[in-house]
Amino acid sequence: MSNTGKNASQNFTQTELLVHALVIELEAVQSYKDLAEQMEQCGNTEVAALFDKMSKLEAEHAEKIREAAGDVELTELPPWEYRWPGLEPPENIDLAGVHYLMTPHQALELALENELSAMAFFDAIAHDSTDDQVGSLAQEFGDDERQHVAWMKEWLAKYPPPDDDWDYDPDPPAAID
Amino acid sequence: MVRRMSVAAPCKLKASDYKSGTKPVWCPGCGDFHVLASLTKAIAALALVPENLAVVSGIGCSSRIPAYLNCYGFHGVHGRALPLATGLKVARPDLTVICAGGDGDGFSIGGNHLLHACRRNVDITYVVMDNEIYGMTKGQPSPTTAPDWDSELAPGGTGVSPFHPLVIALASGANFVARTFAGDVKGTTRTLAEAIGHPGFSFVQILSPCVTFRPDQREWKNKVHPPPVTFTTDPAQAARRVMTDDGFNIGVLYKGSRDIYGQAVERNAEFERDLDAEFLV
Amino acid sequence: MTGQPGMSFSVALLGKGGAGVITAGDMLLAAAARCGLYGLMIRAVGPQIRGGESAALVRLSSVPVECLDDRFDVVLGIDWKQAEQLLSEIAVDADSIVVTDPAEDAVPHSIAASGAVLRQLEMKELAESVSGGRVNMVALGYVAGLAGISQEAIRHAIEKNIGRKGRQAVDVSVAAAMLGFSRSQRSAAPQTGGGQAGNRWMISGNHATGLGALRGGVRFAAAYPITPATEILEWLAPRLKDAGGTLTQAEDELASINMAIGASYGGVPSLTATSGPGLSLMIEGLGLAVCAEIPLVVVNVMRAGPSTGIPTKPEQSDFNAAIYGLHGDAPHIVVAPNSVTDCVYTTQWAVHLAEATQAPVIVLSDQFIGQAIVVADPVPAISFFTKRKVAEEIPEAFERYAITADGISPMPLPGTAGGQYTADGLEHSAAAKPSGIASDHSAQLDKRARKIADFDYGQHWADIEGAGELAILTWGSTASVVREALQRLPDKVTGRLKLITLRLLLPVRQEDMAAALDGVNRLLVIEQNHTGQLYRFLRAWYDLPADVDTVHRPGPGVFRPGEIATRIDAWCGE
């Protein structure tokens, strides 16, 4: 899918950066939570637990951003007014990228991808911003994501990659209506 | 391009407050999860009050959506969501009424109602999650399925031309016509918010992949693209544009300004007495 | 009660399209009403929309009448072009007067052979003698004269009917009518002048149904045209607007019933009206209203079936469809008005029942009741305490489909904060969540059955007249015919007879019926359909006397009192 517009990463104000950073984390919290529920619903408890853990991890990040904001009031915008590099907030896991038989390894691969894109988002602002204060705050957020990236890689090493027939289901889907 | 961070009307409720907590029956990866997310974001952005919103549906995977929302809902019978929504909105013009469903529900068994709902132009928003398949009955071809798509019910394909919902809606008089892609939550949210806010009958086709029966639709995210031009107010131009595109243009196609059906009328306080008088000879 | 033989006067006006016999019949009825008479009119038509032969069958009486007589006192043919098909419904005998225009074809053979007295009336010539005069007005004046109706009443009826066309049009019509009047002489007609002008209603069953609906509080109707129900919807359209409500024309009956369900879900009492083929399309929607517990009234004006059948003729043959048509175990209510004027009351009651039980109610009217126009005493407004049990305050842990003692659960209306729920055709839990669990299914089935079975229907379930060890059980338009038939039988027969007219067809009222049949050792069931649908239903659901007989025949011809009297007399003598 093509981008809907160039991300003007050099023009973020500090409030804007904080709002975007917070929304990135909150969206991630919600989407990991949703995915955990979905996996729970279809019996993939292992991946559900993993997504749940990711959700909590992102919630910690969100809290940290709120702290960084101090007295600055962070008010959410209508969803279409955010400036993301793609269609969605960078850390927002693609709901369409999941499968009910997916393995923890695959789930972590998705998570890693998200952390990388979040990191890139903040790094770009840190690099491009003409405002030093904004630049250093973005740098800080980028470093936090770097930490997450390192963890994802660590966890990934613990789970074996999926077999070739990971998505094989001997039973047909159920007809329910 | 500097944009002021002017924060719009503060949203009283968050998108997640518009979820009922009931767990969807959908398969992980289903586009309908995205639509649920977009819809809750759109109604949160519009700051709609949950008790003044009603979401009405028929039968099918996507038609399960009312139960997942924190608002008034009606999960009716197959194909009849639009009449149900029409009756509700005409009787209760104070409510915001959204009708939702799939391509089988809306274009096949309910196809006739789509034509007349467009014509009538009641102030409702109709959201069709189009995955070109009957998912809940295990994958049969729908009116939007390509003619060569192989299935158990139609081995080798149906050989039948697909229905073109946007053109049909335009020709029938819909007052707002758009296509979005479920995976584009931001765009879908914006379009839904616009559609709900637009007076009259708004029709939004959302390409919503079925990962179980149409895994090929996972590729849609690489195929969709915004339209090369902005919306038009000329239905003929809109129809030409959509007839000649590749089916993956997303965005608002058409905005009309037709009169809305079913405006509130003034009650005659004497009507009961008049009734009795009418039969006297 | 109904008219005695000899006290009523039946007139048939026949003519091809453009002759205006229906308008003349209408005016005749209105003029009779002005003279204090009662009456009834039905329109008999051939297959053409325009131009075919049609007939106004008018019966006037000094007492209320709700059915046709066996024979006609006067048959006036403006012409006899395609009269044969209609004449099968118009019996004449040696006591009848047949009026014919010498300028037209001779009277049909069947009439000539009846021995009826033939009278020549130069209707065409007389009409042409008045500039702009019409032949139907000459006919009106003539038959009104035979019926003993005053010139003032004729003038008044014309004025009321065509007054909007202006003074001149009225004068021309009155002049033509007076020419006809002057040629006629008083016949053996009922006494006029007993009543007072202005204290009679002239109303059709379909309009009466609309009135009952409005009185009951209906404020939304969805409409798809179908003969013979359309007039209900056409009558309602402007009046609903007046009442602050709406009528929406739907694209088909699938849409109309779902629109009505949607409106009622929103808290507005709703109705739709149809006939057999439309009812079949609405059955799925009825099931939805049962499952989602949505109040709804569906008026089904029965016509001869199956399929398109005979759209302009009555038959009580949708009984089975109304009772058994729904799939699943789907408790609902079916009621039937038993006369034209009873449509007001029964429809209002239907709205009351629907709103009170949060369930669909089918009103089984029929083409005769629906399209007949009667002159009757005004139907007083009845007050039911019609109120839906609405959840206005939403408590913690509110459940839309809560299991209650009477099976009726408070219903939150959209707009009520905290009451958000999804109404569903899927089986659900008390908390309105979809459920396939056995205990939820049985609890909801029980609840939905209980609220219908245990509701207090009072005495309205049936009209019971007379007493004795013999009982006749009937319903709908047949009831008026049976009532009149009983009037004609000698006291030694009717003194032994009890008449039970069912108004509530579903749910069954076993205890009420047992009380009504107490001491009855023989029962006769009378209905107008080919298979005895009510009779078989009664045998399945009720404890009946050992000796049960049935009189049933299909339409299109309605029962006549003489025919039924003969059957009852024979049955009593068995």
Side-chain angles (χ1 to χ4, degrees), chain C residues 350-478:
Chain C
V351 179
H352 170 70
L353 296 178
E355 290 293 314
T357 62
Q358 299 178 18
V361 178
I362 300 173
V363 178
L364 279 185
S365 177
D366 67 40
Q367 185 274 335
F368 181 85
I369 278 185
Q371 294 193 318
I373 298 167
V374 294
V375 171
D377 293 318
V379 184
I382 295 156
S383 180
F384 291 109
F385 184 68
T386 300
K387 197 167 188 306
R388 199 183 292 190
K389 197 190 241 181
V390 168
E392 277 153 3
E393 299 283 316
I394 308 296
E396 282 289 310
F398 173 77
E399 293 186 324
R400 161 65 184 107
Y401 299 110
I403 306 302
T404 57
D406 62 4
I408 299 164
S409 322
M411 176 179 187
L413 303 181
T416 309
Q420 294 92 303
Y421 76 103
T422 294
D424 212 323
L426 275 172
E427 188 56 286
H428 39 258
S429 65
K433 301 294 177 201
S435 171
I437 298 168
S439 57
D440 283 333
H441 187 43
S442 63
Q444 293 296 318
L445 284 172
D446 287 347
K447 159 193 163 30
R448 293 191 293 253
R450 190 163 68 242
K451 69 176 182 175
I452 302 294
D454 294 354
F455 190 80
D456 180 9
Y457 298 93
Q459 297 306 302
H460 313 297
W461 73 283
D463 288 346
I464 299 171
E465 296 153 71
E469 76 276 14
L470 305 177
I472 292 171
L473 200 151
T474 190
W475 67 291
S477 62
T478 302

Side-chain angles (χ1 to χ4, degrees), chain A residues 1-8 10-13 15-17 19-20 26-27 30 33-35 37-42 66 73-89 92-102 166 172-177, chain B residues 1-11 14 16 19 21 23-31 33-34 37 41-42 45-46 58-61 64 75 135-138 181 183-187 189-191 193-194 209 211-213 218 220-226 250:
Chain A
M1 186 163 31
S2 64
N3 199 338
T4 46
K6 190 184 181 318
N7 178 41
Q10 70 273 32
N11 289 328
F12 277 88
T13 65
T15 309
E16 286 178 331
L17 175 62
V19 167
H20 277 75
L26 291 179
E27 289 276 333
Q30 186 63 46
K33 199 168 153 246
D34 287 349
L35 287 171
E37 275 175 8
Q38 287 178 33
M39 289 299 152
E40 188 70 44
Q41 279 294 104
C42 57
R66 279 207 182 94
E73 199 181 326
L74 303 181
T75 312
E76 282 189 47
L77 297 175
W80 51 87
E81 289 198 3
Y82 294 105
R83 284 176 284 158
W84 309 124
L87 291 171
E88 286 303 298
N92 206 6
I93 195 158
D94 181 11
L95 293 176
V98 300
H99 189 283
Y100 71 107
L101 292 176
M102 75 195 302
W166 65 272
I176 61 171
D177 265 4
Chain B
M1 183 178 66
V2 182
R3 223 181 325 170
R4 255 196 63 71
M5 212 68 197
S6 69
V7 176
C11 308
K14 291 188 189 327
S16 55
K19 287 188 182 167
K23 306 283 180 286
V25 296
W26 302 324
C27 311
C30 177
F33 280 111
H34 281 130
K41 285 178 183 190
L46 294 170
I59 293 295
C61 297
R64 293 295 187 104
H75 180 225
M136 257 193 182
T137 48
K138 297 200 294 177
F181 169 57
D184 172 16
V185 173
K186 186 167 69 173
T189 301
R190 182 177 200 153
T191 302
E194 256 193 276
V211 294
T212 295
F213 298 105
R218 285 184 188 270
W220 279 358
K221 67 177 174 199
N222 300 318
K223 290 186 178 171
V224 295
H225 46 83
I250 54 176

Side-chain angles (χ1 to χ4, degrees), chain A residues 116-129:
Chain A
L116 284 168
S117 68
M119 187 177 82
F121 175 74
F122 291 120
D123 284 354
I125 297 173
H127 182 266
D128 296 344
S129 181

